[in-house]
Amino acid sequence: LLDAKATMDKRGPMTGRIRSHGACWVDWSFDGSRIGGPPPHDSENDASFKVAKVKYEAGTLNVQVYFIIPLWSNVESLSSAIKAEWARFLKCLWVHERGHQRDHLKNSAELFKELEALEVTELAGSAGGARAKAEAELTRQKNDILRIHKASVREAIEAHDRKTPRGIAQGAYL
């Protein structure tokens, strides 16, 4: 078991600045159907400003949660006491990593609400120009929200690891 622990300490996934025995992370992508836009016609002779309002009507937040859990390839050839300790460790590690997953999914639900609430109104000399400005601003705001949520996920990971001393309180140690 000490050799297995030493190997995980050397080769485990990097989380922050240290090696871990397991890891959980999330990837997001957001596909949103945009609604709104310019009026039905745009007279080139009309000098007044046109307004475009753009928001997400039907969006899908794709969330993929990944886990890295150690595999001991020859564990079956070891003593029953070592196998039992390894099984106990893995069970506790899964409990710890599922806590990270719970935080990721909660954060993803909050992210989806923020993205659905985005609404941008822009003015321009033409309806097409107003629409283009609104689309660009909507994309900029979406990217800002994604960046902020990535930071809040990092904070949630660190808080979970502080609360559980990186899984030790849950028994994820050898």
Side-chain angles (χ1 to χ4, degrees):
L1 283 174
L2 292 177
D3 287 342
K5 182 183 180 315
T7 300
M8 289 186 294
D9 288 345
K10 278 194 242 177
R11 296 183 182 168
M14 290 297 289
T15 55
R17 294 186 176 140
I18 64 171
R19 297 250 175 225
S20 297
H21 295 171
C24 173
W25 75 93
V26 66
D27 281 340
W28 294 310
S29 63
F30 181 76
D31 303 318
S33 301
R34 295 176 182 159
I35 60 165
H41 58 75
D42 180 17
S43 169
E44 291 182 24
N45 298 324
D46 187 352
S48 64
F49 281 95
K50 300 296 181 186
V51 177
K53 183 185 287 189
V54 180
K55 69 176 285 162
Y56 290 110
E57 177 182 55
T60 302
L61 181 66
N62 302 300
V63 181
Q64 292 183 318
V65 180
Y66 300 92
F67 295 97
I68 297 177
I69 301 294
L71 171 68
W72 194 347
S73 59
N74 67 340
V75 72
E76 291 305 317
S77 66
L78 303 173
S79 72
S80 58
I82 291 177
K83 284 193 274 191
E85 178 60 11
W86 183 252
R88 183 207 61 78
F89 163 72
L90 288 179
K91 181 179 176 183
C92 295
L93 183 59
W94 270 112
V95 167
H96 177 73
E97 296 305 330
R98 293 272 188 219
H100 284 303
Q101 178 188 30
R102 183 184 58 250
D103 292 342
H104 288 321
L105 295 177
K106 178 182 174 196
N107 192 286
S108 297
E110 293 167 4
L111 171 62
F112 187 67
K113 286 179 189 174
E114 284 189 51
L115 290 170
E116 278 197 323
L118 273 181
E119 184 172 297
V120 176
T121 303
E122 290 288 339
L123 297 173
S126 70
R131 173 75 184 225
K133 283 176 66 177
E135 293 272 353
E137 180 61 16
L138 188 73
T139 298
R140 187 194 67 73
Q141 288 185 26
K142 175 192 77 168
N143 291 338
D144 284 349
I145 288 170
L146 289 170
R147 181 181 43 75
I148 290 165
H149 273 271
K150 284 181 183 180
S152 67
V153 163
R154 173 59 46 205
E155 291 169 14
I157 289 169
E158 291 170 1
H160 181 66
D161 283 341
R162 278 191 308 274
K163 183 175 132 187
T164 65
R166 297 187 67 81
I168 290 172
Q170 295 152 310
Y173 60 85
L174 289 173

